[in-house]
């Protein structure tokens, strides 16, 4: 069954505790993958305002 705006609006809203868990989870994923991502770039600074 396809999602529609009406079906999405029926979902319960996220509460503060669930939001904090989600933010922490997303942050941990980024922190865990950051070393692999940044090693592909020679410099993390701009050169002539070009990143």
């Amino acid at each position: 069954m396809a999602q529609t705006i009406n079906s999405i609006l029926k979902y319960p809203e996220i509460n503060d505790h669930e939001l904090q868990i989600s933010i922490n989870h997303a942050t941990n994923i980024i922190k865990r993958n950051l070393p692999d991502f940044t090693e592909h770039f020679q410099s993390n600074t701009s050169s002539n305002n070009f990143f």
Side-chain angles (χ1 to χ4, degrees):
M1 182 172 146
Q3 289 283 355
T4 65
I5 188 66
N6 291 330
S7 66
I8 292 171
L9 290 174
K10 292 179 183 176
Y11 286 120
E13 291 184 12
I14 191 169
N15 63 41
D16 289 343
H17 178 69
E18 294 168 328
L19 180 60
Q20 191 60 53
I21 290 172
S22 299
I23 291 170
N24 289 342
H25 183 66
T27 303
N28 288 334
I29 291 171
I30 292 169
K31 286 180 179 179
R32 185 174 63 239
N33 291 318
L34 195 57
D36 292 335
F37 177 77
T38 55
E39 77 177 27
H40 297 287
F41 296 91
Q42 295 178 355
S43 176
N44 61 354
T45 59
S46 69
S47 175
N48 296 325
N49 292 324
F50 183 79
F51 288 90

